[in-house]
Short mmCIF file of all heavy atoms in Angstrom, two decimals:
data_model
loop_
_atom_site.label_atom_id
_atom_site.label_comp_id
_atom_site.label_asym_id
_atom_site.label_seq_id
_atom_site.Cartn_x
_atom_site.Cartn_y
_atom_site.Cartn_z
N VAL A 1 163.25 -84.47 65.63
CA VAL A 1 163.66 -83.73 66.83
C VAL A 1 165.15 -83.42 66.77
O VAL A 1 165.57 -82.29 67.10
CB VAL A 1 163.29 -84.52 68.12
CG1 VAL A 1 163.89 -83.85 69.34
CG2 VAL A 1 161.78 -84.65 68.23
N LEU A 2 165.97 -84.36 66.33
CA LEU A 2 167.41 -84.10 66.19
C LEU A 2 167.65 -82.97 65.19
O LEU A 2 168.51 -82.11 65.43
CB LEU A 2 168.13 -85.37 65.76
CG LEU A 2 168.22 -86.47 66.83
CD1 LEU A 2 168.70 -87.77 66.21
CD2 LEU A 2 169.10 -86.04 67.99
N ASP A 3 166.90 -82.94 64.10
CA ASP A 3 167.03 -81.86 63.11
C ASP A 3 166.63 -80.52 63.72
O ASP A 3 167.31 -79.50 63.51
CB ASP A 3 166.16 -82.14 61.88
CG ASP A 3 166.68 -83.32 61.04
OD1 ASP A 3 167.83 -83.76 61.24
OD2 ASP A 3 165.88 -83.82 60.21
N LEU A 4 165.56 -80.50 64.50
CA LEU A 4 165.12 -79.28 65.16
C LEU A 4 166.20 -78.81 66.15
O LEU A 4 166.51 -77.62 66.23
CB LEU A 4 163.79 -79.49 65.89
CG LEU A 4 163.26 -78.32 66.70
CD1 LEU A 4 163.02 -77.09 65.83
CD2 LEU A 4 161.98 -78.72 67.43
N CYS A 5 166.75 -79.75 66.90
CA CYS A 5 167.79 -79.39 67.87
C CYS A 5 169.03 -78.81 67.19
O CYS A 5 169.67 -77.92 67.75
CB CYS A 5 168.18 -80.62 68.69
SG CYS A 5 166.93 -81.09 69.91
N GLU A 6 169.33 -79.28 66.02
CA GLU A 6 170.47 -78.74 65.27
C GLU A 6 170.25 -77.27 64.93
O GLU A 6 171.19 -76.47 64.92
CB GLU A 6 170.69 -79.56 64.00
CG GLU A 6 172.01 -79.27 63.31
CD GLU A 6 172.26 -80.24 62.17
OE1 GLU A 6 172.20 -81.45 62.39
OE2 GLU A 6 172.53 -79.74 61.06
N ARG A 7 169.00 -76.90 64.67
CA ARG A 7 168.67 -75.51 64.34
C ARG A 7 168.40 -74.66 65.57
O ARG A 7 168.35 -73.42 65.47
CB ARG A 7 167.43 -75.49 63.43
CG ARG A 7 167.61 -76.15 62.08
CD ARG A 7 166.40 -75.97 61.17
NE ARG A 7 165.12 -76.38 61.76
CZ ARG A 7 164.59 -77.61 61.70
NH1 ARG A 7 165.24 -78.57 61.10
NH2 ARG A 7 163.42 -77.86 62.24
N ASP A 8 168.17 -75.29 66.73
CA ASP A 8 167.77 -74.57 67.93
C ASP A 8 168.65 -75.02 69.11
O ASP A 8 168.28 -75.91 69.86
CB ASP A 8 166.30 -74.85 68.23
CG ASP A 8 165.74 -74.04 69.37
OD1 ASP A 8 166.52 -73.52 70.20
OD2 ASP A 8 164.50 -73.93 69.46
N PRO A 9 169.84 -74.39 69.26
CA PRO A 9 170.77 -74.84 70.31
C PRO A 9 170.20 -74.76 71.73
O PRO A 9 170.54 -75.59 72.57
CB PRO A 9 171.95 -73.88 70.16
CG PRO A 9 171.87 -73.39 68.75
CD PRO A 9 170.41 -73.35 68.41
N ALA A 10 169.32 -73.82 72.01
CA ALA A 10 168.73 -73.74 73.36
C ALA A 10 167.84 -74.94 73.62
O ALA A 10 167.86 -75.51 74.73
CB ALA A 10 167.96 -72.44 73.52
N LEU A 11 167.04 -75.33 72.66
CA LEU A 11 166.23 -76.54 72.81
C LEU A 11 167.12 -77.76 72.93
O LEU A 11 166.89 -78.63 73.78
CB LEU A 11 165.27 -76.70 71.62
CG LEU A 11 164.49 -78.03 71.58
CD1 LEU A 11 163.60 -78.17 72.82
CD2 LEU A 11 163.67 -78.14 70.31
N ASP A 12 168.14 -77.84 72.10
CA ASP A 12 169.09 -78.96 72.14
C ASP A 12 169.67 -79.10 73.55
O ASP A 12 169.69 -80.20 74.11
CB ASP A 12 170.20 -78.72 71.11
CG ASP A 12 171.17 -79.87 71.02
OD1 ASP A 12 170.74 -81.01 70.78
OD2 ASP A 12 172.39 -79.63 71.15
N HIS A 13 170.13 -78.00 74.11
CA HIS A 13 170.72 -78.03 75.45
C HIS A 13 169.70 -78.48 76.49
O HIS A 13 169.99 -79.36 77.33
CB HIS A 13 171.30 -76.67 75.81
CG HIS A 13 171.88 -76.63 77.19
ND1 HIS A 13 173.09 -77.20 77.50
CD2 HIS A 13 171.38 -76.13 78.34
CE1 HIS A 13 173.33 -77.04 78.79
NE2 HIS A 13 172.31 -76.39 79.32
N ALA A 14 168.52 -77.90 76.48
CA ALA A 14 167.51 -78.24 77.47
C ALA A 14 167.08 -79.71 77.35
O ALA A 14 166.97 -80.43 78.34
CB ALA A 14 166.29 -77.33 77.32
N LEU A 15 166.86 -80.16 76.12
CA LEU A 15 166.45 -81.54 75.89
C LEU A 15 167.53 -82.52 76.29
O LEU A 15 167.26 -83.50 77.01
CB LEU A 15 166.05 -81.72 74.42
CG LEU A 15 165.54 -83.09 74.03
CD1 LEU A 15 164.29 -83.47 74.81
CD2 LEU A 15 165.23 -83.14 72.52
N LEU A 16 168.76 -82.28 75.85
CA LEU A 16 169.83 -83.21 76.18
C LEU A 16 170.18 -83.20 77.66
O LEU A 16 170.54 -84.25 78.21
CB LEU A 16 171.06 -82.94 75.32
CG LEU A 16 170.87 -83.26 73.83
CD1 LEU A 16 172.14 -82.98 73.04
CD2 LEU A 16 170.39 -84.68 73.61
N THR A 17 170.07 -82.08 78.32
CA THR A 17 170.26 -82.04 79.77
C THR A 17 169.24 -82.93 80.46
O THR A 17 169.58 -83.71 81.37
CB THR A 17 170.18 -80.59 80.29
OG1 THR A 17 171.22 -79.83 79.69
CG2 THR A 17 170.30 -80.53 81.80
N TYR A 18 167.99 -82.85 80.02
CA TYR A 18 166.94 -83.70 80.60
C TYR A 18 167.22 -85.18 80.29
O TYR A 18 167.10 -86.04 81.17
CB TYR A 18 165.57 -83.28 80.08
CG TYR A 18 164.47 -84.05 80.75
CD1 TYR A 18 163.99 -83.66 82.00
CD2 TYR A 18 163.93 -85.19 80.15
CE1 TYR A 18 162.99 -84.38 82.62
CE2 TYR A 18 162.93 -85.90 80.79
CZ TYR A 18 162.46 -85.50 82.02
OH TYR A 18 161.48 -86.23 82.65
N VAL A 19 167.59 -85.48 79.06
CA VAL A 19 167.84 -86.87 78.66
C VAL A 19 169.01 -87.45 79.46
O VAL A 19 168.94 -88.58 79.94
CB VAL A 19 168.07 -86.98 77.13
CG1 VAL A 19 168.59 -88.37 76.75
CG2 VAL A 19 166.79 -86.69 76.38
N VAL A 20 170.09 -86.69 79.63
CA VAL A 20 171.23 -87.18 80.40
C VAL A 20 170.83 -87.48 81.85
O VAL A 20 171.22 -88.51 82.41
CB VAL A 20 172.41 -86.18 80.33
CG1 VAL A 20 173.47 -86.49 81.36
CG2 VAL A 20 173.00 -86.16 78.94
N GLY A 21 170.01 -86.63 82.43
CA GLY A 21 169.51 -86.90 83.78
C GLY A 21 168.67 -88.18 83.83
O GLY A 21 168.76 -88.97 84.77
N THR A 22 167.87 -88.38 82.79
CA THR A 22 167.05 -89.59 82.70
C THR A 22 167.93 -90.83 82.58
O THR A 22 167.70 -91.84 83.24
CB THR A 22 166.09 -89.50 81.49
OG1 THR A 22 165.21 -88.39 81.70
CG2 THR A 22 165.28 -90.76 81.31
N ILE A 23 168.97 -90.75 81.75
CA ILE A 23 169.90 -91.87 81.58
C ILE A 23 170.54 -92.23 82.93
O ILE A 23 170.58 -93.40 83.32
CB ILE A 23 170.98 -91.55 80.53
CG1 ILE A 23 170.35 -91.45 79.15
CG2 ILE A 23 172.08 -92.61 80.55
CD1 ILE A 23 171.31 -90.89 78.08
N GLY A 24 171.02 -91.22 83.64
CA GLY A 24 171.64 -91.46 84.94
C GLY A 24 170.67 -92.13 85.92
O GLY A 24 171.02 -93.10 86.61
N HIS A 25 169.46 -91.62 85.96
CA HIS A 25 168.45 -92.20 86.85
C HIS A 25 168.16 -93.65 86.49
O HIS A 25 168.08 -94.53 87.34
CB HIS A 25 167.17 -91.37 86.80
CG HIS A 25 166.04 -91.99 87.55
ND1 HIS A 25 165.94 -91.91 88.93
CD2 HIS A 25 165.00 -92.74 87.14
CE1 HIS A 25 164.87 -92.57 89.31
NE2 HIS A 25 164.28 -93.09 88.24
N ARG A 26 168.00 -93.93 85.19
CA ARG A 26 167.68 -95.29 84.75
C ARG A 26 168.84 -96.25 85.02
O ARG A 26 168.63 -97.41 85.36
CB ARG A 26 167.28 -95.30 83.27
CG ARG A 26 166.08 -94.40 83.00
CD ARG A 26 164.80 -95.11 82.72
NE ARG A 26 163.66 -94.22 82.82
CZ ARG A 26 163.15 -93.51 81.81
NH1 ARG A 26 163.66 -93.64 80.59
NH2 ARG A 26 162.11 -92.72 82.00
N LEU A 27 170.06 -95.78 84.86
CA LEU A 27 171.22 -96.64 85.16
C LEU A 27 171.27 -96.98 86.64
O LEU A 27 171.54 -98.12 87.03
CB LEU A 27 172.52 -95.97 84.72
CG LEU A 27 172.75 -95.91 83.22
CD1 LEU A 27 173.97 -95.06 82.90
CD2 LEU A 27 172.92 -97.31 82.64
N ARG A 28 171.00 -96.01 87.51
CA ARG A 28 170.96 -96.29 88.96
C ARG A 28 169.83 -97.25 89.29
O ARG A 28 170.01 -98.18 90.09
CB ARG A 28 170.80 -94.98 89.74
CG ARG A 28 172.07 -94.15 89.80
CD ARG A 28 171.94 -92.95 90.73
NE ARG A 28 170.87 -92.03 90.35
CZ ARG A 28 170.97 -91.08 89.43
NH1 ARG A 28 172.09 -90.92 88.76
NH2 ARG A 28 169.96 -90.29 89.17
N SER A 29 168.66 -97.06 88.65
CA SER A 29 167.54 -97.97 88.88
C SER A 29 167.89 -99.38 88.44
O SER A 29 167.57 -100.36 89.14
CB SER A 29 166.30 -97.49 88.13
OG SER A 29 165.83 -96.28 88.66
N ALA A 30 168.54 -99.51 87.28
CA ALA A 30 168.90 -100.83 86.78
C ALA A 30 169.88 -101.52 87.72
O ALA A 30 169.73 -102.70 88.05
CB ALA A 30 169.50 -100.73 85.37
N ARG A 31 170.86 -100.79 88.15
CA ARG A 31 171.86 -101.36 89.07
C ARG A 31 171.21 -101.83 90.36
O ARG A 31 171.42 -102.95 90.81
CB ARG A 31 172.94 -100.32 89.38
CG ARG A 31 173.99 -100.82 90.33
CD ARG A 31 175.04 -99.72 90.62
NE ARG A 31 176.03 -100.19 91.53
CZ ARG A 31 175.93 -100.15 92.85
NH1 ARG A 31 174.86 -99.62 93.41
NH2 ARG A 31 176.88 -100.61 93.62
N THR A 32 170.39 -100.99 90.94
CA THR A 32 169.72 -101.34 92.20
C THR A 32 168.81 -102.54 92.01
O THR A 32 168.83 -103.47 92.83
CB THR A 32 168.91 -100.13 92.72
OG1 THR A 32 169.81 -99.04 92.94
CG2 THR A 32 168.20 -100.47 94.01
N ARG A 33 168.02 -102.54 90.97
CA ARG A 33 167.08 -103.64 90.72
C ARG A 33 167.81 -104.96 90.47
O ARG A 33 167.43 -106.00 90.99
CB ARG A 33 166.17 -103.30 89.54
CG ARG A 33 165.15 -104.35 89.25
CD ARG A 33 164.12 -104.43 90.37
NE ARG A 33 163.08 -105.34 89.95
CZ ARG A 33 162.56 -106.28 90.72
NH1 ARG A 33 162.93 -106.39 91.97
NH2 ARG A 33 161.63 -107.07 90.25
N LEU A 34 168.87 -104.92 89.69
CA LEU A 34 169.62 -106.14 89.41
C LEU A 34 170.32 -106.66 90.66
O LEU A 34 170.40 -107.88 90.88
CB LEU A 34 170.60 -105.94 88.26
CG LEU A 34 169.93 -105.73 86.90
CD1 LEU A 34 170.96 -105.38 85.84
CD2 LEU A 34 169.11 -106.95 86.50
N LEU A 35 170.82 -105.78 91.52
CA LEU A 35 171.38 -106.21 92.78
C LEU A 35 170.31 -106.86 93.66
O LEU A 35 170.54 -107.88 94.31
CB LEU A 35 172.05 -105.06 93.53
CG LEU A 35 173.42 -104.64 93.03
CD1 LEU A 35 173.86 -103.35 93.74
CD2 LEU A 35 174.43 -105.74 93.24
#
C-alpha cells in the first residue's frame, strides 16, 4: 500500500487523511478510557 501511495498521490492523500483522523480519534478514546 505504501508503494502504491508513492505512485498515486491522490490515494496517498485520501488514505493518510483518513488514517490521521483515526489516530486522533483513538488517542481521544485512549485518554478518556484511561481517565
Side-chain angles (χ1 to χ4, degrees):
V1 172
L2 290 168
D3 292 345
L4 176 61
C5 286
E6 192 172 307
R7 297 186 307 271
D8 186 341
L11 173 61
D12 184 55
H13 178 76
L15 182 60
L16 291 181
T17 298
Y18 185 82
V19 169
V20 167
T22 298
I23 293 169
H25 173 79
R26 302 253 165 91
L27 288 172
R28 285 187 301 277
S29 294
R31 179 181 180 273
T32 300
R33 182 68 174 136
L34 291 174
L35 282 172

